[in-house]
Amino acid sequence: MNSKPWYAIALAEDGRSATIAVRGKIGDWWEGKSIEQIDYDLANIGAVDQITVRITSFGGKLDHGLAMHNALRRHPARIITVVEGVAASAGSIVAMAGDEIHMYANSTMMVHGVTLRDDEGNEVEDDDATRALNASIVETYSARTGKTADEVAALIATDTWMTAREALAAGFADRVIEIAAGELATATAASPLTAIAAALDIPADVLARAQAEATAPATSEGGDPPAAPAAPAPTPPAVQPAGADASATFAAQINAHAVAHGLGDYVAAWLLDGSITNLAQAQAAIAEAREVRDLCAYADAADRAPGFIRARKSLADVRADLLNARADAADALHIDGHPSTRKPPVTAAPAAVKTADIWALRRKP
């Protein structure tokens, strides 16, 4: 009997992140993990900021793959799924749980529909069950990739294998990890506008229209070319790195640094802050945000951290705010510190036991 679990969870030493390794056949009960244990294990890792799920699996049981997918989606941590070898069948279902899906350049992904089998491995015909289960697969892929239900249904009608770059192009992955340099590569380099739009959840079509309008040649109301512009005023020194490529790099560096510290949800706070003009300032701001988050957690006020970070409150201001809140809470309580004037009740001391009495009792018939 194989006692090796099909997934294993490891908590980082700082308690801020965790890693889940998904290996082998998903969901076999004799491999040490049951479907009921997934939520229990995730709850036991505590309030981590990020969970990295590393996947190498040809698949397994669909119900276990869906259960892990949905358990990860429910968890408040940022989920990063990484395909290290193969994510096929139920393995690809787990991969779809990621807020970001990374694939090594030499890894592969496979998606397909459901096949029903009995305990002996024989295929079973059940049209209703097959239809419903395939619908759940379509729903999972469609929600993550943005593809229509018909597009996904066509993909899962057969075994569809994708390289990492093909998965990236099809929307099944967000990043490709180049194996030569070990760095993340994307299909296109993000501009500062794109980075800000992503941070603010601006829809892609809205951003595309705005960019098209911004670059279109202007015309007058009558359709004639506009008058020659007046001589431009002297341009003050740029506070961001000069050039579009440098600006894109600057925005990407801020984003990468924030994500690395589990603060990817707050990128807009630093990208839109005009006082941050270089990477060192951004790193200092992100470091302070992490201290704010840790302080709120220590003070049992973790729910207040997002508001503090987005408002760019300093650590000193946050500490004062939390202390004032605690003082206000204490004032609302009536604490009686006077000593009690009541005397304790007097109880009679137990009677002494005499040796003669014991012997008398022992002599009784």
Side-chain angles (χ1 to χ4, degrees), residues 221-295:
E221 291 183 1
D224 296 327
T235 303
V239 294
Q240 298 284 9
D245 292 341
S247 297
T249 301
F250 182 68
Q253 287 174 330
I254 294 178
N255 182 72
H257 195 72
V259 170
H261 287 80
L263 295 166
D265 291 339
Y266 311 107
V267 173
W270 303 296
L271 288 179
L272 300 176
D273 188 339
S275 67
I276 295 177
T277 62
N278 56 58
L279 185 58
Q281 291 173 338
Q283 290 174 332
I286 293 170
E288 184 173 48
R290 182 170 182 174
E291 291 185 81
V292 166
R293 179 191 61 192
D294 293 345
L295 177 61

Side-chain angles (χ1 to χ4, degrees), residues 80-145:
I80 308 295
T81 55
V82 182
V83 180
E84 297 188 320
V86 175
S89 189
S92 67
I93 293 289
V94 174
M96 294 301 107
D99 295 304
E100 292 183 26
I101 303 173
H102 300 175
M103 293 184 67
Y104 277 86
N106 58 351
S107 67
T108 54
M109 182 179 290
M110 188 272 280
V111 299
H112 65 177
V114 70
T115 300
L116 299 178
R117 298 186 184 278
D118 59 21
D119 292 340
E120 284 72 39
N122 301 313
E123 191 168 340
V124 176
E125 295 291 336
D126 188 330
D127 292 341
D128 286 341
T130 300
R131 176 193 57 77
L133 291 171
N134 277 334
S136 72
I137 294 173
V138 168
E139 185 76 24
T140 303
Y141 292 139
S142 182
R144 184 58 181 81
T145 65

Side-chain angles (χ1 to χ4, degrees), residues 264-352:
D265 291 339
Y266 311 107
V267 173
W270 303 296
L271 288 179
L272 300 176
D273 188 339
S275 67
I276 295 177
T277 62
N278 56 58
L279 185 58
Q281 291 173 338
Q283 290 174 332
I286 293 170
E288 184 173 48
R290 182 170 182 174
E291 291 185 81
V292 166
R293 179 191 61 192
D294 293 345
L295 177 61
C296 288
Y298 179 79
D300 198 23
D303 58 323
R304 302 193 62 188
F308 288 143
I309 294 173
R310 290 192 174 96
R312 299 282 287 110
K313 281 208 168 190
S314 69
L315 182 62
D317 288 343
V318 170
R319 184 179 291 110
D321 197 311
L322 293 176
L323 287 174
N324 289 336
R326 179 167 292 186
D328 291 343
D331 289 342
L333 299 175
H334 174 68
I335 302 175
D336 189 354
H338 295 285
S340 175
T341 57
R342 296 195 317 173
K343 295 181 179 180
V346 178
T347 56

